[in-house]
Structure formats: C-alpha cells, structure tokens
Amino acid sequence: MDEEDCGRSADLKRPGLWKRILKRVGLLLFTLLCLGFTFIAWTNVAAVLAGAGKLYNDPERLPDDGVMLVFGCDDRIDGRENLYFRYRIDAAAEVWKAGKARCVIVSGDNRTKYYNEPERMRQALIEKGVPGDKIICDYAGLRTLDSVVRAKEIFGVEKVVFISQQFQNERAAYLAKANGIAEYTGYNARDVEGQGGMKTRLREVGARVKMWLDVKVLGTRPRHLGEMVPLPE
C-alpha cells in the first residue's frame, strides 16, 4: 500500500468521520423528502385554486345555457352499485331540471363492446327525465384530461359545466384553465363516504401530481381526437 492509500485509510478510521457522512446523507434525504412533499402539496393546491369560486353545490347558482360534461365511471363495482355513478347521474339530472344546461355530453371509456360507460350514463339520464336527443356520447373519455380537451376540440364547447364529485371537478377545472376554456363551472355531486371514498381520495393525490406533469412537463394530449362533432341544438 503506497503512502497516499495509507492516508485515505487513516482518514476513514478517524473518529466521527462516518458519523458526519451519515449525518450529511440523512440531511440530503430529509431535504429531498421535504421537497417531494412540497411538490405533492402544491399540485393538489393548484387544483383547489383552479376550482375556487367556480364549483357549486346549488344548481341555481350555475350560469344558464352551459353544456354539461358528465365524467364517466362504471355503474357497478364487483357486482355492487357504484355510488359515484349514481350520484353523478343524480347531479346531472338536478342541473337539467333547474334549466341550467342546453345539452349533455356523457364522457367515458368504451374500451370494448361489453364495456360502455357513456351509453350506461345516457340510459340512466333518460330514466331521470333528460331527453335522449339532448345527450351526446363521448366514447373516448379515457381520462379526465381526454374528456376536457375533447369537449373543446371535438365538440366545440365554450361554456362547460363539469358534473362529478368535487375532487374531480377541481382537477377538471385546472385542466380546463390550462387548455384555454375560459367559461367553466362545476356542480359537485354527492361524495362517497366510508372505505371506498377514502381509497378514492388517496388515489386523487397521485392523480393531481399526474395532472400537473401532464400540463407543465409532458404536454399530454388525448389518446384519440378526430373530426368535429356537432352538439344537439
């Protein structure tokens, strides 16, 4: 072992050296953890701010003549009724009966002929008294981002009313603002309580991180676009 290697070996054996190294590594990890939590918190707050003053629990407070955009989900989960589906349909029917919308877009996933969220929403709304000729299906609403952007670019919507639970309406508000939809509001459907609701709210934290990255970093676009589709008169 030459003299330089002997010096390095001696340095590593000095009292307290490893302790100082571990302390610095710990401080670095703590700093990164704090930055990560701050980033996650900011992405979640950004959605809240986008929806501030734009989301309502009373349909009478909504502006007139908007186009409802109802976000899709499956009507059943493991053979049981999906309350998210029921409450969104109830909310859309309330807005329609209040005379605040001129037509409805039901936007969801239609991945196979056996899985068709928009058609199930359409049938449920008809049963609630919404005229079938005022409902149009968007079969390519694979994500909230797809539904919002397609409402503008495919269906030509300029004045939109989001229909979903508040957490999704806030995220939709952020996406609408980022994609140049100036006139957006939302009507908050009843939320789901219990274990199922808690799991959804936990997933929403990650969904908002993805929302921010899609807009600010990745420039994500809908998976499917296409030609313009006219809305019902």
Side-chain angles (χ1 to χ4, degrees), residues 114-130:
Y114 303 108
Y115 187 84
N116 193 328
E117 291 176 353
E119 188 56 38
R120 290 170 186 170
M121 287 192 288
R122 182 177 182 276
Q123 291 301 321
L125 285 174
I126 291 173
E127 291 173 9
K128 288 284 185 178
V130 181

Side-chain angles (χ1 to χ4, degrees), residues 9-169:
S9 179
D11 285 341
L12 292 174
K13 292 178 181 179
R14 281 190 304 176
L17 179 60
W18 279 109
K19 186 176 181 179
R20 290 195 297 274
I21 292 174
L22 290 174
K23 184 177 180 180
R24 290 175 182 175
V25 170
L27 181 60
L28 176 61
L29 291 176
F30 178 75
T31 302
L32 292 174
L33 188 62
C34 287
L35 290 173
F37 277 121
T38 301
F39 172 65
I40 292 171
W42 164 243
T43 60
N44 280 261
V45 169
V48 174
L49 293 176
K54 296 282 192 175
L55 309 181
Y56 302 101
N57 297 312
D58 179 359
E60 296 297 336
R61 298 185 63 189
L62 293 167
D64 296 332
D65 201 38
V67 175
M68 272 196 284
L69 175 58
V70 188
F71 293 106
C73 59
D74 201 352
D75 61 339
R76 306 195 71 79
I77 299 177
D78 297 328
R80 294 177 287 109
E81 180 185 26
N82 182 357
L83 292 178
Y84 284 106
F85 180 94
R86 184 213 291 182
Y87 295 155
R88 291 178 195 181
I89 295 301
D90 288 346
E94 289 171 13
V95 173
W96 181 263
K97 290 173 183 177
K100 295 295 182 175
R102 61 185 180 88
C103 64
V104 186
I105 299 172
V106 286
S107 181
D109 192 351
N110 177 209
R111 68 189 72 172
T112 73
K113 64 180 181 179
Y114 303 108
Y115 187 84
N116 193 328
E117 291 176 353
E119 188 56 38
R120 290 170 186 170
M121 287 192 288
R122 182 177 182 276
Q123 291 301 321
L125 285 174
I126 291 173
E127 291 173 9
K128 288 284 185 178
V130 181
D133 61 355
K134 295 296 184 180
I135 305 171
I136 190 166
C137 293
D138 175 13
Y139 298 105
L142 306 181
R143 297 172 49 200
T144 306
L145 181 146
D146 297 58
S147 297
V148 171
V149 175
R150 283 176 55 83
K152 177 187 177 184
E153 298 189 11
I154 300 300
F155 298 98
V157 174
E158 297 178 352
K159 189 176 182 180
V160 64
V161 181
F162 300 125
I163 306 292
S164 186
Q165 281 68 32
Q166 182 172 342
F167 67 84
Q168 189 174 17
N169 281 344

